[in-house]
Amino acid sequence: ITRRWRGLGAAVGVYIAVAVFMTARFGLRSWSDFLAGENEIANIWMANLSNQSIHGVIQRLLASPACELPGNIAPEGLVLSGLLSLGLLALAVRATWRLRSSSWTTDVCFATFIALSVVCSQWALEHYTVLFLIPATVAAAAARRASHHDDRLASAGLVVVAVMLWS
């Protein structure tokens, strides 16, 4: 979105290097074993009370009765939470596209996607809140640097959201 092609290339390169190393170490069958176990893991953690992601919140809202341990993932919950996550990502892409003009806004855009990567993932447990340190810090710095009242208001909003998600 911000046309940081070297960063994207580095991320893809590191992922491929790790995947090749792990595949060489554990064999091709490790991929099928990993995928076969994901359904059970998702059923355990997706609707778990510790899951703070959008997917977890929606799954718990659809659980019936809410006081029982989570069962299998509700497909309608996956669709709803997936659409909500995609909508938030689309809004962030649109905002990022408009803000990519200066160097400090690149930091704000990056911080926004860090926060979204936590809440839009399949699960975000309590210890994932440490990932909000960077967005909160960037938002606070952006609020100090903002020249326009609207920019300050938006940055202050980011700080408030980061603190709310953090607690």
Side-chain angles (χ1 to χ4, degrees):
I1 297 166
T2 58
R3 297 185 181 153
R4 304 288 183 187
W5 303 117
R6 289 188 309 189
L8 176 64
V12 170
V14 167
Y15 181 85
I16 290 171
V18 169
V20 166
F21 176 79
M22 299 304 278
T23 302
R25 175 73 174 97
F26 296 110
L28 281 174
R29 182 163 178 227
S30 64
W31 288 102
S32 61
D33 290 346
F34 166 76
L35 294 173
E38 282 302 291
N39 194 23
E40 184 179 335
I41 291 170
N43 283 334
I44 292 170
W45 288 108
M46 187 73 75
N48 190 291
L49 191 57
S50 297
N51 188 0
Q52 302 169 0
S53 73
I54 292 170
H55 298 293
V57 171
I58 298 293
Q59 288 294 326
R60 285 191 303 278
L61 285 174
L62 296 175
S64 177
C67 58
E68 288 185 6
L69 290 174
N72 290 338
I73 294 172
E76 61 275 6
L78 262 181
V79 170
L80 181 61
S81 60
L83 290 173
L84 185 58
S85 295
L86 287 174
L88 287 172
L89 288 170
L91 285 172
V93 167
R94 183 173 182 209
T96 301
W97 192 259
R98 289 186 7 228
L99 291 176
R100 62 188 164 94
S101 57
S102 69
S103 61
W104 75 270
T105 55
T106 300
D107 294 341
V108 171
C109 296
F110 181 67
T112 300
F113 282 99
I114 289 174
L116 284 175
S117 73
V118 176
V119 297
C120 292
S121 69
Q122 68 273 26
W123 41 74
L125 305 176
E126 294 96 346
H127 58 278
Y128 288 33
T129 56
V130 73
L131 298 173
F132 292 120
L133 284 173
I134 293 173
T137 305
V138 169
R144 275 191 58 217
R145 277 188 264 178
S147 57
H148 300 295
H149 176 67
D150 291 342
D151 291 342
R152 286 178 192 242
L153 197 59
S155 298
L158 280 174
V159 172
V160 169
V161 168
V163 169
M164 286 173 46
L165 290 169
W166 205 348
S167 55

